[in-house]
Each structure stands twice: as C-alpha cells, then as structure tokens.
Amino acid sequence: MTEQEIIQSILNGNTENFRLIAEAYQSKIFRVCMGFVHQKEEAEDLTQDILVSIYQNLNSYKGNSKFSTWMYRIAVNASLRHLERKKRRGFFERIEQLLTGEKSSHEINIHSHTETPESILTSKERSEMVHRAIDSLSENQRIAFTLSKFDDLPQQQIASIMNSTEGAVEALLQRAKANLQKKLITLHKKN
Amino acid sequence: MNCSDCISKIGSFIEGTLSKDEMTQMEKHFSTCDACKHMHDELVQDFAILESEKSTAHNPFIATRVMAAIEQIEKPTARQIGYKKILQPILIAASLFIAIAGGIKVGTLYSKNVTFHTETDNLSFMDDAKLESLQTFEQD
C-alpha cells in the first residue's frame, strides 16, 4: 500500500490505517519537537498533539508537495505555537514556583545514578546554556538549524518546508551555526 | 594561525568540514594555545548535548496514544450518527403516534360528554301534569 493509498483509505473512513502514518513519522516529528523544546516528555506530548492535528487536517493535504514536507510544516508551526504559549505561561509559572518553591517539570531531568551532584549541576548548567544559545537564534535560523541538525534533512527539503530556496537555506544554516558558536563562546568566556 | 582565526573556525573543525590543510593548522594551534584548546573542549561538550538530545529515544507507544486520542475525537461523531440513524426516526414516529392517539382520544371524550339539546328536546321533558295548577292563582 503506497502512502497516497493509505491517506485515501483514511479519508474514506478507515481510521485505523492512520496508525501506519503515526508509526512511520513519530520519530521524525519527535526529533523536530526535541530540537524546539529540548525536553523528552514535553516533546512526546507535542508529537502526539501534532499527529492528531495531522489526522484532523488530512483532508487539506492536496498532494502538491511531498507528504513528509506537508507534515514537517505542520510540526514546525505547531512547535513554534507551543513555544509562544509556553513563553506566555512562563511568567505565571515563575510566580507559582516562587510561591510554592516547587520545581517545574521542565527542570527535572533524568540523570544516571553514577553521576555526582556536582556533575549533574554542571551538565544541567551546560544544557541550559546550549538551549539559551539555540533559543536566541532568529526564528528562520532556528527552523533551518533544527531541521538540519535534528532530522538530518537535506537543504532541498528544508527549502520546500520553509517555502524558500536552497541558497537561502544554505545561508540561513551558515548564519545559524556562526551565531550559535559565537553565542556559546561568549557564554563560556562569561563563566 | 592566530587565536581569532582559530576561534572563528572551531565549529567547522569540530564538524570536520575544514580542508585538510586547515585541519592541520588548527591542530597545530591547539597544541600551542591552551585557551583555544580549552574553548575547543568546551564546544565539543556543548555539541555533544545536541547529539544526545537528537538521539533521545521516545516512548514507543506514541502511535498507540495517538490512536486512542483519535478514537476519543471520533466517538461523539459515532453517537451523532447513531442518533440520526436510529433515535431520531423513533422519536419522530413516537411523537406522531402520541399526537394522533391524543387527538382521537380527545375527540372521543368530546363526543360522549357533550350532547346537543334542541328546543323540542327540552320541551319533551316538561310534564304538564306537574306544572303548577292555574287554580292556585285563582284562590289568591
């Protein structure tokens, strides 16, 4: 059964066939989400929401682009919307944490039992620093960087997803890497 | 190679995208400059974080969770279809039956209890013998 046939059968009411799409693309979408949110559980929830959204909007896929390209567009847009909502919620969460003294779920990471508290702290600080550097990239640089770094997509497909040209994506990636390196070096020099 | 050149190329050096000649120059600089070597080591660890995030394994049941979520979304629709196909015709038929049966019942009650009396019917109940005698008036 081809991808197009699976999509058609889902549209004809064979909902169970969406499992094939979900299983084929869950890892790809999860990696995109990890690139944007950097936290496993949050990325898993976001991946689930994105796949449900893909199911709900399946009838709007006209086949003008590759299905994976269409799907990546939905994933990127949903991730950006999620970050925007998170940013708005952040202010109230910080107040709540100050009042209750509790840690947010985003700050709790799983560490190996062999790691010492000191190394966990150093690793956490380093992770936060890298995330800050990625988050400081412009939206387009961040999209191109995430799709390239986390999903290993070729520049041609990134260009299709971003409705851009290969040349523009190449320039975006170069600037993203240079800015990221610059930012990290500055942060290390500060420490 | 000076430190500024070296720092600007560290990312590409770690990625291994520099030319063979540039790679050799970088390595040579690292062997003589502790500050650049330290920065190189720091960035290697930073990029390792990205690699570890990239290779994070996800919950293998995401697809199952998605299918469960879709089932929940589809449930109300199935109910609506059930209502339209089965319950709605039954309710319409029952309403019509109640209306017709009620109409017949009300009509029957009306025809049994209400009787029309004509002028002659009323007169037929009059018993002339029981009527007050004219003589009574005469005595007064």
Side-chain angles (χ1 to χ4, degrees):
Chain A
M1 209 182 215
T2 65
E3 201 166 71
Q4 198 55 48
E5 284 169 345
I6 293 169
I7 292 164
Q8 200 49 54
S9 75
I10 298 163
L11 291 173
N12 291 338
N14 197 349
T15 309
E16 190 51 38
N17 272 358
F18 189 75
R19 185 182 288 276
L20 300 170
I21 299 277
E23 279 171 354
Y25 288 103
Q26 58 183 354
S27 300
K28 291 178 169 61
I29 296 172
F30 174 74
R31 280 200 295 272
V32 173
C33 296
M34 272 302 282
F36 282 104
V37 302
H38 315 296
Q39 209 270 340
K40 190 186 174 220
E41 285 76 21
E42 197 180 344
E44 282 174 350
D45 289 344
L46 187 56
T47 304
Q48 183 183 327
D49 292 347
I50 289 167
L51 281 165
V52 171
S53 173
I54 286 170
Y55 170 78
Q56 288 177 314
N57 292 291
L58 206 58
N59 56 356
S60 66
Y61 173 63
K62 303 294 175 204
N64 297 332
S65 59
K66 273 166 72 180
F67 180 71
S68 59
T69 301
W70 179 78
M71 187 210 64
Y72 272 118
R73 261 185 221 141
I74 292 180
V76 167
N77 289 332
S79 300
L80 292 173
R81 273 200 307 276
H82 175 83
L83 289 179
E84 195 58 44
R85 277 198 301 269
K86 196 176 158 187
K87 209 172 161 185
R88 281 203 295 268
R89 274 202 312 265
F91 173 72
F92 296 105
E93 272 185 8
R94 277 196 294 277
I95 290 173
E96 198 183 321
Q97 280 167 40
L98 275 174
L99 294 172
T100 59
E102 283 176 11
K103 272 184 168 187
S104 93
S105 60
H106 312 301
E107 287 178 24
I108 300 165
N109 290 316
I110 300 160
H111 296 281
S112 134
H113 294 293
T114 54
E115 284 180 299
T116 61
E118 199 183 329
S119 70
I120 289 170
L121 188 69
T122 315
S123 159
K124 191 175 169 255
E125 279 172 359
R126 189 181 289 280
S127 295
E128 280 175 3
M129 197 178 70
V130 173
H131 297 160
R132 267 207 309 279
I134 294 175
D135 296 350
S136 71
L137 296 175
S138 74
E139 190 173 285
N140 278 348
Q141 284 178 23
R142 197 174 173 185
I143 294 168
F145 179 78
T146 303
L147 292 173
S148 167
K149 188 78 186 169
F150 284 80
D151 260 78
D152 294 323
L153 292 186
Q155 286 178 8
Q156 191 188 4
Q157 191 170 7
I158 297 173
S160 299
I161 294 163
M162 296 180 75
N163 281 325
S164 187
T165 60
E166 262 188 84
V169 168
E170 192 178 351
L172 268 178
L173 282 171
Q174 275 174 3
R175 281 205 299 275
K177 282 175 188 172
N179 286 338
L180 189 63
Q181 184 185 315
K182 211 166 148 185
K183 188 84 184 174
L184 286 170
I185 288 170
T186 311
L187 289 169
H188 280 302
K189 277 180 181 169
K190 269 186 196 172
N191 292 339
Chain B
M1 180 177 273
N2 60 30
C3 289
S4 176
D5 284 341
C6 176
I7 291 291
S8 68
K9 289 174 183 169
I10 283 185
S12 305
F13 175 79
I14 295 168
E15 279 189 330
T17 53
L18 293 176
S19 68
K20 202 176 172 182
D21 190 38
E22 280 176 316
M23 292 291 270
T24 314
Q25 281 181 33
M26 290 287 281
E27 279 162 8
K28 202 174 168 187
H29 183 79
F30 289 141
S31 65
T32 56
C33 179
D34 285 345
C36 287
K37 177 76 174 82
H38 175 71
M39 193 55 78
H40 164 266
D41 295 345
E42 291 285 0
L43 287 181
V44 166
Q45 288 186 62
D46 292 346
F47 291 159
I49 285 174
L50 289 181
E51 284 303 320
S52 79
E53 278 184 8
K54 183 184 165 183
S55 55
T56 303
H58 61 76
N59 180 335
F61 300 108
I62 290 182
T64 307
R65 278 164 53 182
V66 168
M67 293 314 290
I70 288 171
E71 203 177 306
Q72 286 297 316
I73 294 167
E74 291 297 314
K75 255 185 185 172
T77 318
R79 269 190 212 142
Q80 280 168 5
I81 290 167
Y83 170 76
K84 278 192 175 176
K85 280 191 172 173
I86 304 161
L87 203 62
Q88 198 178 43
I90 290 172
L91 283 175
I92 291 170
S95 307
L96 278 170
F97 176 76
I98 290 167
I100 293 167
I104 292 169
K105 185 73 182 169
V106 169
T108 314
L109 288 173
Y110 187 70
S111 62
K112 271 183 186 172
N113 295 338
V114 182
T115 49
F116 295 99
H117 300 288
T118 59
E119 199 66 24
T120 45
D121 287 338
N122 288 334
L123 288 171
S124 67
F125 292 112
M126 292 175 103
D127 185 358
D128 287 346
K130 285 181 181 173
L131 285 174
E132 199 171 12
S133 163
L134 285 171
Q135 287 176 340
T136 315
F137 300 106
E138 282 172 5
Q139 280 177 0
D140 289 335

